[in-house]
Amino acid sequence: MAIQRYRSCYRSRKITSSKRCTLWLSFILFVLVLLLIISYFQTSIYQSFQELDDSIIYKKPWYLLHKQKVLVPVSINRLYDYRVVCDGQSEILNQTELVNRLSTVCKINLNGSLNINLNPPNDFQLRSSLTSKYINLWRASNSCSIFENETLAIIISYRDREKNLKMLLYNLIPFLERQRIRNYKIFIIEQQASGSFNKGRLYNVAFNHLMRTSKPTCVIFHDVDLIPENGQNLYSCLSLTHHPLHMSANIHFDINGSYTTIYSFLVGGVLAMRPETFIRLNGYSNRYFNWGGEDDDMGLRFLSKDICVQRPTTGYYYAAFHSIQTRNPNRFKLLFDATLRQDSDGLNNIDQLASVKHQYEYPLVTWITVEWIEQDYSSVVPKKQT
Ligand SMILES: *[C@@H]1O[C@H](CO)[C@@H](O)[C@H](O)[C@H]1NC(C)=O
Ligand SMILES: *[C@@H]1O[C@H](CO)[C@@H](O)[C@H](O)[C@H]1NC(C)=O
Ligand SMILES: *[C@@H]1O[C@H](CO)[C@@H](O)[C@H](O)[C@H]1NC(C)=O
Ligand SMILES: *[C@@H]1O[C@H](CO)[C@@H](O)[C@H](O)[C@H]1NC(C)=O
């Protein structure tokens, strides 16, 4: 409409004489200036997220609410109240039925209690062939036919945590053997790139690599410092429908001995799902460096794809102690446009960012080293989303 008016003004060559035309032109000019001002403010507000820190995030929610109107598809200040767990009955996954089936079909009697051993013996070495003696010691006589069609991959992201990793494996392997899950493999995905740690990238690289090689039917993404405490916490996707399983909802810290029940939004720690679900989510984000954020980003991915998680009744873990990690100061900024980035940041662009360097086979684990293809871009301001 306005453009037609402008054209007719132009054609009649009465721009200076006609009052109407002047009015229309100034109106168009006004709109243009307004758009410019709006886009300027959007940019500058976005850049100011750089300066956000935890004190603002938690103590000034109104500040975020204000910002959120402009750019954020989700309300970050209420992030931790979001429900990622399924509603009603399906919130909890009761493993009792499967445990009972194991008992009737394979005569496996799994009681819940487990003795965690925090001090592996000195000859329990991650990359030594001598360690196979422990596998032989733990190896159950036969696997259970219930798991015969499942190929399980346990993926552990890793760098510089040898003590934690030994402690985990020393407990995890006999735990799996007791469940008679034989068709499993443990993959240690080690970041060899220097610079900040990036768990999301390691998980994505590992996943794509495994889908090309061992083709698991169930994947479990596992933090290196969490040790399962309940023998009935079955490491399997058999009882899952399409819902992923957040296994580590109750964590027991050795600092104060109490259990912390995780907020309803969290999906970090130990997360099991079928590969098709992980592909639908486009994996993890590749952009979170250092500690924190990539799991909450995953929570948002679940929400935006309308996928809810279940939590098993047996999901109790012991959190092994380690030194405090460097926090990611960018994490809240990244969470603001997490769902907008979801389909372009994850499994489908990891091949441009990172690659598998070597794969080594040891008695305990398959060890995969990963390096970055491109530079660390964690400090680059994300492109403005409109
Ligand atoms: C799980 O289901 C069994 C019956 O199948 C029931 O006896 C048990 O109480 C349930 N456990 C929980 C924690 O709901
Ligand atoms: C539970 O099972 C473990 C290993 O199978 C066994 O050592 C332990 O005695 C059992 N505990 C109870 C209370 O039955
Ligand atoms: C495994 O797959 C085969 C072939 O599809 C099927 O006959 C068998 O019942 C399956 N086993 C289990 C435990 O589901
Ligand atoms: C125990 O320690 C953990 C980790 O520091 C903390 O999150 C939790 O709130 C603590 N619980 C109590 C009861 O102090």
Side-chain angles (χ1 to χ4, degrees), residues 92 94-97 100 313:
I92 286 171
N94 188 337
Q95 295 274 42
T96 307
E97 200 201 318
N100 289 345
T313 47

Side-chain angles (χ1 to χ4, degrees), residues 109-115 178:
N109 291 310
L110 289 176
N111 61 42
S113 66
L114 270 188
N115 291 323
R178 224 172 282 132

Side-chain angles (χ1 to χ4, degrees), residues 101 144-150 238:
R101 254 170 74 209
C144 179
S145 60
I146 284 180
F147 301 114
E148 69 186 356
N149 294 333
E150 186 168 77
L238 284 190

Side-chain angles (χ1 to χ4, degrees), residues 108-233:
I108 305 167
N109 291 310
L110 289 176
N111 61 42
S113 66
L114 270 188
N115 291 323
I116 289 186
N117 191 329
L118 299 180
N119 297 301
N122 286 335
D123 64 348
F124 184 76
Q125 294 297 328
L126 297 175
R127 311 192 201 205
S128 159
S129 59
L130 295 176
T131 312
S132 54
K133 83 170 188 202
Y134 286 97
I135 305 275
N136 295 333
L137 195 69
W138 294 324
R139 182 118 290 180
S141 49
N142 54 348
S143 60
C144 179
S145 60
I146 284 180
F147 301 114
E148 69 186 356
N149 294 333
E150 186 168 77
T151 310
L152 171 66
I154 298 172
I155 305 178
I156 301 170
S157 55
Y158 175 83
R159 189 172 74 176
D160 298 337
R161 290 278 198 82
E162 184 153 339
K163 200 161 165 255
N164 284 150
L165 185 57
K166 273 165 94 169
M167 203 194 283
L168 171 62
L169 295 178
Y170 194 68
N171 290 282
L172 184 63
I173 296 171
F175 165 90
L176 294 168
E177 292 292 339
R178 224 172 282 132
Q179 297 183 349
R180 305 271 193 94
I181 296 171
R182 178 60 51 75
N183 207 6
Y184 72 89
K185 247 184 165 183
I186 300 174
F187 296 90
I188 308 303
I189 316 301
E190 183 182 14
Q191 175 176 326
Q192 288 224 319
S194 57
S196 313
F197 189 65
N198 188 317
K199 196 194 279 182
R201 282 189 182 190
L202 295 178
Y203 281 155
N204 287 342
V205 160
F207 180 84
N208 276 352
H209 178 68
L210 296 187
M211 292 316 283
R212 288 171 198 137
T213 53
S214 54
K215 299 188 173 61
T217 59
C218 178
V219 286
I220 298 183
F221 299 97
H222 209 299
D223 275 0
V224 71
D225 56 354
L226 293 180
I227 302 172
E229 284 190 323
N230 187 319
Q232 296 184 333
N233 186 7

Side-chain angles (χ1 to χ4, degrees), residues 32 52 82 101 107 141 179 185 217 227-228 249 255 273 275 298 300 333 335 357 386:
L32 283 177
L52 284 186
Y82 285 172
R101 254 170 74 209
K107 308 275 177 285
S141 49
Q179 297 183 349
K185 247 184 165 183
T217 59
I227 302 172
I255 307 163
M273 65 181 103
M298 184 47 110
L300 289 170
K333 186 159 54 73
L335 284 171
K357 198 169 161 196
T386 46

